[in-house]
Amino acid sequence: MASSPVSPVQRRKILKVIFISLLLDLVSFTFILPLFPRLLEFYRNLEAADGSSNSVLHRILLGLNAYKQSFLRPISDRYDIVLLGGALGSLFSLLQAVASPFIGSLSDKYGRRTALLWSMAGNIASVALWVAATDFRTFLASRIVGGLSEGNVQLATAMAADISDENQRGSTMALVGACFSIAFTFGPALGAALANIETVATNPFATAAGFSLFLILVETLYLYQYLPETLPSTRKSDSSNASITKSNTTTKSYSRTNSHRLLNATHFIFILFFSGMEFSFPFMTYDLFTYTSSQTGRLLGFMGLFASILQGAVTRRIPPLQAVQAGVISCTASFFLLGRMTTEAGLWMAASLLAITTATVVTGLNTLSSFEAAEAERGGKLGNHRSWGKSTSTMHKALGPSLIVF
């Protein structure tokens, strides 16, 4: 029999910690998004100036040139940045797909708090490498470490499920989703602004990276100080954690109609279409409209603001299945517009529809998946659910930018 949720007072306290920490994490994470095209251009120009033919970036670019030659239609060298961005995004998602189930299972065994703090240690190492990335090899190491250690989102989702009954689950997952939307409102624009402040000549993006590191350190200290263990089995046996008590409320019984296999497959198919476009957006604006990092940051900020409003006003109030259905319809409409887009007005309209998708589908699927997971397997099941999405994201972050060149 499932354990009762925590007391209402303690639930609010834990949700506050989850919300603030996840917001800090995602704002830090989104700093780099509008910078990617210019950042990769910087490393390419740096390697060209050095004239090195043995570097990691040189070998990657040779591989991309071989890839370009496989197409019947010639692809200009000016698209190297777009293709390189797709390759790096694909690598990051692949590593997340591999790591997510392990991180989730470890949290089921050793506790959410322990797993999250170890994940934060990896995040600190990743961002510290970015601060020190005066060459592409160090930047690549930063992305590898970050991909393998990024478990914050799935663990936040598991913790939110731990402390919520089934009546509360949808609104709780919407709160986690709202963190994404708010982070996309401010993170990309702030990252683009900080990139204009040059403090280290050998790494013009060090200011943005340094502030990102500061946010990650603050988040880690905050979690260490204020986050209690939420794993239900630990709550039952740990008498020292008396602040978390059982609630006397009775939860409504739900019939189960979805298997994890069905939900994972749905997640896979959705991300198959959505993720490549989402990641390719900064490269699309860079290529089609010559957007600067600041302009791209404003567009992503608008999407985040719109999505956060929807999360708070709509998504948390409707059944998760309806949220998924609405998001899929919106995604289809946005793809239709993007396929016929010739003006910036069309770009912003498509961005609005993508924001609706961002605010609904993944939140709804996470809620449905959490319903089907028993307490002892919740971290692993949600980790597998995220892994299915990231495995698709791996493929599409490689293919999405490639499609822009045609």
Side-chain angles (χ1 to χ4, degrees):
M1 182 178 179
S3 65
S4 300
V6 298
S7 67
V9 173
Q10 188 66 8
R11 179 175 180 271
R12 285 193 294 271
K13 289 181 179 178
I14 296 174
L15 280 177
K16 177 183 176 182
V17 175
I18 293 173
F19 182 82
I20 292 175
S21 62
L22 190 57
L23 189 59
L24 289 171
D25 185 80
L26 291 173
V27 168
S28 172
F29 175 79
T30 57
F31 272 12
I32 199 171
L33 296 182
L35 308 182
F36 246 121
R38 305 297 177 185
L39 189 149
L40 297 179
E41 192 173 49
F42 164 75
Y43 287 122
R44 184 187 63 176
N45 294 340
L46 184 65
E47 298 267 346
D50 290 343
S52 173
S53 60
N54 233 353
S55 67
V56 174
L57 181 56
H58 180 76
R59 292 196 292 269
I60 292 175
L61 290 174
L62 285 178
L64 288 177
N65 282 327
Y67 172 69
K68 290 189 298 182
Q69 296 304 318
S70 66
F71 291 92
L72 293 176
R73 176 180 173 180
I75 300 177
S76 170
D77 288 344
R78 78 189 189 92
Y79 293 112
D80 285 351
I81 297 299
V82 177
L83 296 174
L84 180 59
L88 283 181
S90 178
L91 173 64
F92 190 84
S93 291
L94 173 63
L95 295 172
Q96 283 189 299
V98 171
S100 289
F102 291 101
I103 294 173
S105 296
L106 288 173
S107 78
D108 286 333
K109 184 175 182 180
Y110 299 105
R112 313 285 189 230
R113 186 177 187 275
T114 300
L116 183 54
L117 289 175
W118 277 109
S119 175
M120 291 306 304
N123 289 342
I124 290 171
S126 171
V127 183
L129 284 170
W130 183 26
V131 174
T134 57
D135 55 49
F136 180 77
R137 183 175 58 182
T138 307
F139 178 72
L140 180 61
S142 166
R143 302 302 292 171
I144 291 172
V145 173
L148 289 172
S149 60
E150 180 57 54
N152 305 55
V153 175
Q154 74 181 72
L155 292 175
T157 302
M159 289 187 292
D162 288 340
I163 62 172
S164 304
D165 63 31
E166 295 183 351
N167 293 316
Q168 300 165 329
R169 196 70 55 80
S171 61
T172 303
M173 292 300 175
L175 181 67
V176 173
C179 289
F180 276 91
S181 303
I182 295 171
F184 270 86
T185 302
F186 301 104
L190 183 56
L194 290 170
N196 293 324
I197 304 173
E198 186 172 316
T199 54
V200 180
T202 53
N203 182 4
F205 304 95
T207 304
F211 197 77
S212 178
L213 179 60
F214 169 75
L215 292 180
I216 292 294
L217 288 170
V218 170
E219 179 192 359
T220 304
L221 292 173
Y222 180 67
L223 287 169
Y224 182 81
Q225 184 70 29
Y226 295 107
L227 180 67
E229 182 54 66
T230 66
L231 189 64
S233 60
T234 306
R235 294 207 311 266
K236 289 176 182 177
S237 60
D238 188 0
S239 60
S240 65
N241 194 12
S243 59
I244 301 181
T245 59
K246 291 185 177 182
S247 172
N248 293 323
T249 58
T250 302
T251 58
K252 181 182 177 181
S253 177
Y254 281 75
S255 60
R256 301 300 181 221
T257 57
N258 300 308
S259 69
H260 276 287
R261 185 173 297 177
L262 173 63
L263 291 169
N264 290 341
T266 304
H267 196 200
F268 181 91
I269 293 170
F270 167 71
I271 297 296
L272 183 67
F273 293 99
F274 181 69
S275 181
M277 180 54 63
E278 182 186 42
F279 181 80
S280 302
F281 226 60
F283 296 96
M284 180 181 291
T285 59
Y286 171 78
D287 181 61
L288 297 180
F289 299 104
T290 323
Y291 267 26
T292 64
S293 297
S294 297
Q295 289 173 305
T296 301
R298 284 196 292 272
L299 178 61
L300 294 176
F302 162 75
M303 292 173 64
L305 178 61
F306 188 24
S308 63
I309 293 172
L310 290 174
Q311 288 276 4
V314 180
T315 306
R316 71 184 185 90
R317 301 178 187 276
I318 62 176
L321 182 58
Q322 289 184 13
V324 173
Q325 292 168 338
V328 169
I329 293 171
S330 178
C331 185
T332 304
S334 71
F335 280 16
F336 179 82
L337 280 178
L338 287 169
R340 291 156 178 75
M341 178 184 64
T342 57
T343 64
E344 286 191 62
L347 174 68
W348 283 76
M349 177 61 71
S352 301
L353 291 170
L354 285 176
I356 296 174
T357 305
T358 300
T360 51
V361 177
V362 173
T363 296
L365 288 174
N366 283 341
T367 304
L368 292 171
S369 184
S370 72
F371 284 156
E372 309 302 328
E375 291 174 352
E377 61 179 8
R378 187 172 287 149
K381 291 294 187 182
L382 290 175
N384 284 328
H385 182 71
R386 183 168 172 79
S387 179
W388 275 80
K390 287 299 177 182
S391 62
T392 317
S393 179
T394 298
M395 178 172 61
H396 256 267
K397 284 179 179 178
L399 295 178
S402 301
L403 297 177
I404 295 175
V405 305
F406 291 103

